[in-house]
Amino acid sequence: MVQTLTKPVTFDEFIQWYPKTGLRYELHNGVIIEINPPLGDHELVIGWLVRKLSAQLDKLNLPYLIPKTTFIKPSNSQSAYSPDILLLNPENLANEPLWKKESTITQADSVPLVIEIVSSNWKTDYSTKTNDYESMGIPEYWIVDYAAFGGRRFIGNPKQPTISVYSLINEEYEVNQFRGDDQIISPLFPDLNLTISQILQII
């Protein structure tokens, strides 16, 4: 990620500033951050996961949708994140004050699952976003680290491709990590057949 402005701005200023250039930005504690253009492997992982999750949504007859671009704004902070994948609960959108004009979610009831695909910004995914999603009460958060970008304190030593699934239990995240042929355990999708080995086969 590359910083584009160092002067702290509010969320409203960020939304008003946001250019229609096709580039993506996030707001991190008042600082506008340009998101690096995605790598091809990164996009393959996103596309494959969206296909897998969409099949599960249909199978379980869940009402959730997977939007293309939606901001998550943690309460009481000047941040706004644009996750790689999120599940959107349309049944709660009437309660979202920023949805109609800014495509922005502020409530955990609107977001049953967030997924970040790790790239060079791994510190943000593992620390800042984890803390903010936890404080919001988002029930489930995945970090898909297909190239083992993350630090050893997050994915172990030696580093290897890892899926970290954070589940909200008693208002705190508990993390389970899955490597190789480990089938992930997802509270939202108990029958999901997904391993990091399957992801590595497509890239």
Side-chain angles (χ1 to χ4, degrees):
M1 289 185 173
V2 178
Q3 293 188 4
T4 58
L5 289 177
T6 56
K7 175 185 175 182
V9 299
T10 66
F11 172 77
D12 289 339
E13 290 171 335
F14 170 67
I15 291 297
Q16 292 173 4
W17 167 88
Y18 204 97
K20 297 180 180 179
T21 60
L23 299 176
R24 294 175 60 209
Y25 299 87
E26 292 185 334
L27 185 65
H28 293 194
N29 292 320
V31 177
I32 297 173
I33 303 292
E34 179 182 348
I35 300 176
N36 289 335
L39 301 174
D41 289 349
H42 186 274
E43 292 300 287
L44 282 174
V45 173
I46 291 174
W48 189 82
L49 285 172
V50 166
R51 189 182 76 176
K52 295 280 285 187
L53 295 177
S54 296
Q56 286 291 308
L57 292 176
D58 285 341
K59 176 182 176 182
L60 299 174
N61 196 29
L62 294 173
Y64 308 137
L65 305 173
I66 303 176
K68 181 179 179 182
T69 305
T70 297
F71 284 120
I72 295 180
K73 182 185 182 303
S75 60
N76 303 319
S77 83
Q78 297 302 328
S79 296
Y81 305 128
S82 179
D84 291 309
I85 301 171
L86 68 80
L87 296 192
L88 183 67
N89 179 11
E91 296 177 355
N92 194 60
L93 293 182
N95 301 316
E96 288 286 358
L98 303 175
W99 174 253
K100 287 288 188 180
K101 292 185 177 180
E102 281 99 20
S103 183
T104 298
I105 296 303
T106 61
Q107 301 173 15
D109 287 343
S110 300
V111 192
L113 171 65
V114 176
I115 301 176
E116 296 286 3
I117 315 301
V118 177
S119 54
S120 58
N121 64 331
W122 60 267
K123 291 183 180 179
T124 300
D125 292 334
Y126 280 105
S127 56
T128 307
K129 290 183 179 180
T130 300
N131 292 334
D132 282 345
Y133 294 156
E134 179 186 62
S135 68
M136 287 182 68
I138 291 175
E140 194 169 336
Y141 172 40
W142 299 2
I143 300 178
V144 179
D145 198 342
Y146 68 91
F149 285 110
R152 291 176 178 84
R153 67 185 182 276
F154 295 111
I155 60 174
N157 187 15
K159 299 203 301 183
Q160 55 185 310
T162 303
I163 299 176
S164 302
V165 175
Y166 294 79
S167 304
L168 196 69
I169 299 174
N170 296 326
E171 300 182 352
E172 294 184 5
Y173 276 150
E174 292 187 8
V175 61
N176 289 298
Q177 295 187 312
F178 306 93
R179 302 174 180 89
D181 293 324
D182 297 338
Q183 185 166 317
I184 75 160
I185 298 172
S186 164
L188 184 59
F189 298 111
D191 297 326
L192 180 62
N193 178 17
L194 174 64
T195 69
I196 195 74
S197 292
Q198 292 171 341
I199 292 174
L200 295 177
Q201 289 176 6
I202 68 169
I203 59 179

